[in-house]
Amino acid sequence: MRVYKPIKVSEAFDIKNIDYFTSLFSDECYAIKNANKYICVRYNPDIYNINQEKIAEFFSKDLYKPLTMTNYKFLYLLLEISKSEVFKFVNFEFKFDGEEAEIEKMQVKEMIEDDVKSSFEFLNETGQKISYIDFDIFDKYNSIRIFSSGNIGVSNRFNEEYNNILLNLIEFLFTGKGLINNEG
Protein backbone atom coordinates (compact mmCIF):
# COMPACT_ATOMS: atom_id res chain seq x y z
CA MET A 1 0.00 0.00 0.00
CA ARG A 2 1.24 3.47 -0.90
CA VAL A 3 0.27 6.19 1.58
CA TYR A 4 -0.42 9.82 0.72
CA LYS A 5 -1.14 12.96 2.70
CA PRO A 6 -4.02 14.84 1.01
CA ILE A 7 -3.66 18.59 1.16
CA LYS A 8 -5.32 21.70 -0.16
CA VAL A 9 -2.82 24.31 -1.32
CA SER A 10 -3.64 28.01 -1.12
CA GLU A 11 -3.54 30.47 -3.99
CA ALA A 12 -0.32 31.87 -2.46
CA PHE A 13 1.47 28.49 -2.76
CA ASP A 14 4.12 28.77 -5.48
CA ILE A 15 3.77 25.58 -7.49
CA LYS A 16 7.50 25.88 -8.35
CA ASN A 17 8.13 24.78 -4.74
CA ILE A 18 6.19 21.54 -5.14
CA ASP A 19 9.30 19.33 -5.52
CA TYR A 20 10.88 20.78 -2.39
CA PHE A 21 7.55 20.58 -0.55
CA THR A 22 6.99 16.91 -1.46
CA SER A 23 10.56 16.05 -0.43
CA LEU A 24 9.60 17.06 3.13
CA PHE A 25 6.97 14.28 3.28
CA SER A 26 8.82 11.42 1.61
CA ASP A 27 12.11 10.58 -0.04
CA GLU A 28 10.13 9.69 -3.19
CA CYS A 29 9.16 13.34 -3.85
CA TYR A 30 5.94 12.36 -5.57
CA ALA A 31 2.55 14.03 -5.66
CA ILE A 32 -0.69 13.26 -7.46
CA LYS A 33 -1.93 16.57 -8.75
CA ASN A 34 -3.86 18.26 -11.51
CA ALA A 35 -4.94 21.82 -12.24
CA ASN A 36 -7.00 22.16 -9.05
CA LYS A 37 -5.69 23.03 -5.60
CA TYR A 38 -6.01 19.52 -4.10
CA ILE A 39 -3.01 17.21 -4.18
CA CYS A 40 -1.88 13.94 -2.63
CA VAL A 41 1.71 13.99 -1.43
CA ARG A 42 3.51 10.69 -1.00
CA TYR A 43 3.95 10.15 2.76
CA ASN A 44 6.63 8.43 4.80
CA PRO A 45 6.25 8.96 8.58
CA ASP A 46 10.01 8.88 9.23
CA ILE A 47 10.77 11.58 6.66
CA TYR A 48 7.73 13.58 7.78
CA ASN A 49 8.87 13.50 11.43
CA ILE A 50 12.39 14.63 10.51
CA ASN A 51 10.98 17.59 8.56
CA GLN A 52 8.14 18.67 10.88
CA GLU A 53 9.58 22.13 11.48
CA LYS A 54 9.97 22.88 7.77
CA ILE A 55 6.47 21.54 7.06
CA ALA A 56 5.14 23.69 9.91
CA GLU A 57 6.61 26.78 8.21
CA PHE A 58 4.45 26.13 5.13
CA PHE A 59 1.45 25.56 7.37
CA SER A 60 2.02 28.66 9.52
CA LYS A 61 2.20 30.76 6.34
CA ASP A 62 -1.23 29.36 5.43
CA LEU A 63 0.14 27.80 2.24
CA TYR A 64 -1.63 24.48 2.71
CA LYS A 65 -4.21 22.68 4.83
CA PRO A 66 -4.03 18.94 5.59
CA LEU A 67 -7.13 16.77 5.39
CA THR A 68 -8.78 16.10 8.73
CA MET A 69 -11.29 13.29 9.10
CA THR A 70 -14.18 13.07 11.53
CA ASN A 71 -16.86 10.45 12.09
CA TYR A 72 -19.30 12.74 10.32
CA LYS A 73 -17.07 12.92 7.21
CA PHE A 74 -16.63 9.16 7.23
CA LEU A 75 -20.37 8.57 7.48
CA TYR A 76 -21.16 11.10 4.78
CA LEU A 77 -18.54 9.48 2.54
CA LEU A 78 -20.00 6.02 3.17
CA LEU A 79 -23.45 7.34 2.33
CA GLU A 80 -22.22 8.90 -0.92
CA ILE A 81 -20.23 5.81 -1.90
CA SER A 82 -23.37 3.72 -1.52
CA LYS A 83 -25.02 5.88 -4.23
CA SER A 84 -22.09 5.74 -6.67
CA GLU A 85 -21.44 3.25 -9.44
CA VAL A 86 -17.73 4.12 -9.39
CA PHE A 87 -17.01 3.27 -5.75
CA LYS A 88 -17.68 -0.01 -4.01
CA PHE A 89 -17.67 -0.04 -0.21
CA VAL A 90 -15.56 -2.89 1.20
CA ASN A 91 -15.16 -2.42 4.96
CA PHE A 92 -14.60 -0.07 7.88
CA GLU A 93 -13.12 -0.49 11.33
CA PHE A 94 -13.49 1.25 14.65
CA LYS A 95 -10.57 2.46 16.72
CA PHE A 96 -11.91 0.46 19.67
CA ASP A 97 -12.32 -3.20 18.74
CA GLY A 98 -13.82 -6.24 20.38
CA GLU A 99 -17.07 -8.17 20.32
CA GLU A 100 -19.17 -5.14 21.20
CA ALA A 101 -17.48 -3.11 18.45
CA GLU A 102 -18.40 -5.77 15.88
CA ILE A 103 -22.07 -5.56 16.92
CA GLU A 104 -21.95 -1.75 16.78
CA LYS A 105 -20.25 -1.93 13.38
CA MET A 106 -23.12 -4.01 11.97
CA GLN A 107 -25.63 -1.55 13.44
CA VAL A 108 -23.85 1.39 11.82
CA LYS A 109 -23.71 -0.40 8.44
CA GLU A 110 -27.50 -0.85 8.59
CA MET A 111 -28.08 2.75 9.71
CA ILE A 112 -25.93 4.26 6.97
CA GLU A 113 -28.32 2.97 4.34
CA ASP A 114 -31.25 4.72 6.03
CA ASP A 115 -30.08 7.84 7.79
CA VAL A 116 -26.56 9.18 8.25
CA LYS A 117 -27.77 11.48 11.05
CA SER A 118 -28.92 8.57 13.22
CA SER A 119 -25.57 6.83 12.53
CA PHE A 120 -23.71 9.89 13.76
CA GLU A 121 -25.87 10.12 16.89
CA PHE A 122 -25.31 6.40 17.56
CA LEU A 123 -21.53 6.80 17.29
CA ASN A 124 -21.62 9.79 19.62
CA GLU A 125 -23.63 7.82 22.19
CA THR A 126 -21.31 4.79 22.08
CA GLY A 127 -18.10 6.82 21.92
CA GLN A 128 -16.92 4.86 18.87
CA LYS A 129 -14.59 6.49 16.37
CA ILE A 130 -14.05 5.19 12.86
CA SER A 131 -10.42 4.22 12.34
CA TYR A 132 -10.55 3.70 8.57
CA ILE A 133 -12.76 2.76 5.66
CA ASP A 134 -11.87 0.66 2.62
CA PHE A 135 -13.45 0.86 -0.79
CA ASP A 136 -12.60 0.15 -4.41
CA ILE A 137 -12.76 2.16 -7.60
CA PHE A 138 -14.43 -0.22 -10.07
CA ASP A 139 -12.50 -3.34 -8.90
CA LYS A 140 -10.39 -4.79 -6.08
CA TYR A 141 -7.10 -3.84 -7.75
CA ASN A 142 -7.87 -0.14 -7.27
CA SER A 143 -8.53 -0.11 -3.56
CA ILE A 144 -8.39 2.92 -1.29
CA ARG A 145 -8.17 3.18 2.48
CA ILE A 146 -8.94 6.45 4.22
CA PHE A 147 -7.48 6.67 7.71
CA SER A 148 -8.79 8.78 10.60
CA SER A 149 -5.44 10.60 10.48
CA GLY A 150 -6.48 12.01 7.10
CA ASN A 151 -3.94 9.91 5.22
CA ILE A 152 -5.02 7.89 2.22
CA GLY A 153 -3.60 4.55 1.18
CA VAL A 154 -3.95 3.13 -2.31
CA SER A 155 -3.18 -0.41 -3.43
CA ASN A 156 0.21 -1.04 -5.00
CA ARG A 157 -1.58 -1.97 -8.22
CA PHE A 158 -3.66 1.22 -8.23
CA ASN A 159 -4.17 2.33 -11.84
CA GLU A 160 -2.84 5.86 -12.37
CA GLU A 161 -5.62 6.39 -14.88
CA TYR A 162 -7.87 6.79 -11.80
CA ASN A 163 -5.78 9.58 -10.24
CA ASN A 164 -8.40 12.12 -11.31
CA ILE A 165 -11.07 10.17 -9.44
CA LEU A 166 -8.77 10.08 -6.41
CA LEU A 167 -8.28 13.86 -6.57
CA ASN A 168 -12.04 14.38 -6.91
CA LEU A 169 -12.44 12.22 -3.81
CA ILE A 170 -9.94 14.46 -1.99
CA GLU A 171 -11.86 17.55 -3.05
CA PHE A 172 -15.07 15.93 -1.83
CA LEU A 173 -13.48 15.21 1.56
CA PHE A 174 -12.48 18.87 1.87
CA THR A 175 -15.71 20.41 0.53
CA GLY A 176 -18.47 17.78 0.84
CA LYS A 177 -19.44 18.28 -2.83
CA GLY A 178 -19.17 16.40 -6.08
CA LEU A 179 -18.53 12.69 -5.48
CA ILE A 180 -21.54 10.78 -6.86
CA ASN A 181 -21.31 11.78 -10.51
CA ASN A 182 -17.60 11.08 -10.78
CA GLU A 183 -17.07 8.57 -13.56
CA GLY A 184 -13.41 9.09 -14.28
Side-chain angles (χ1 to χ4, degrees):
M1 179 174 283
R2 297 181 311 237
V3 179
Y4 294 89
K5 175 109 16 215
I7 61 173
K8 176 183 175 183
V9 293
S10 72
E11 298 294 326
F13 187 90
D14 186 355
I15 203 67
K16 294 175 191 169
N17 290 331
I18 194 70
D19 288 337
Y20 172 70
F21 183 70
T22 59
S23 74
L24 299 175
F25 290 83
S26 171
D27 52 1
E28 293 185 36
C29 301
Y30 180 76
I32 300 171
K33 59 187 184 298
N34 60 16
N36 67 18
K37 55 190 167 197
Y38 304 96
I39 63 176
C40 287
V41 178
R42 186 65 191 242
Y43 173 75
N44 176 310
D46 295 330
I47 303 297
Y48 179 84
N49 287 335
I50 291 169
N51 295 311
Q52 280 184 347
E53 288 181 28
K54 293 174 185 172
I55 293 168
E57 287 177 35
F58 279 88
F59 183 76
S60 66
K61 293 177 183 175
D62 204 27
L63 296 176
Y64 85 97
K65 299 271 188 256
L67 176 65
T68 55
M69 291 300 295
T70 63
N71 267 351
Y72 185 76
K73 278 188 182 182
F74 274 127
L75 291 172
Y76 186 50
L77 177 62
L78 290 171
L79 182 66
E80 292 300 301
I81 285 173
S82 70
K83 298 175 186 176
S84 172
E85 294 179 16
V86 174
F87 300 99
K88 180 183 174 235
F89 170 73
V90 176
N91 193 22
F92 77 94
E93 291 295 328
F94 287 130
K95 287 185 178 183
F96 312 114
D97 57 0
E99 189 174 320
E100 188 174 323
E102 282 301 313
I103 293 168
E104 291 170 347
K105 180 178 167 182
M106 296 310 294
Q107 290 173 308
V108 170
K109 280 184 178 181
E110 291 171 9
M111 286 181 204
I112 289 169
E113 296 173 8
D114 298 327
D115 180 19
V116 76
K117 186 176 179 185
S118 65
S119 303
F120 184 65
E121 290 169 0
F122 176 79
L123 290 176
N124 274 344
E125 289 171 11
T126 61
Q128 282 286 13
K129 302 280 187 226
I130 296 174
S131 178
Y132 66 83
I133 63 168
D134 293 324
F135 54 94
D136 299 333
I137 297 176
F138 296 117
D139 60 45
K140 66 181 178 179
Y141 300 110
N142 297 294
S143 61
I144 297 174
R145 176 174 282 181
I146 300 180
F147 298 93
S148 59
S149 64
N151 293 337
I152 293 183
V154 298
S155 59
N156 289 329
R157 296 175 66 183
F158 190 83
N159 190 333
E160 288 186 18
E161 137 184 348
Y162 297 138
N163 282 351
N164 235 12
I165 294 174
L166 181 62
L167 289 171
N168 287 341
L169 171 66
I170 300 309
E171 183 173 356
F172 171 80
L173 292 172
F174 273 100
T175 66
K177 300 176 187 169
L179 183 64
I180 296 175
N181 297 325
N182 188 353
E183 298 188 16

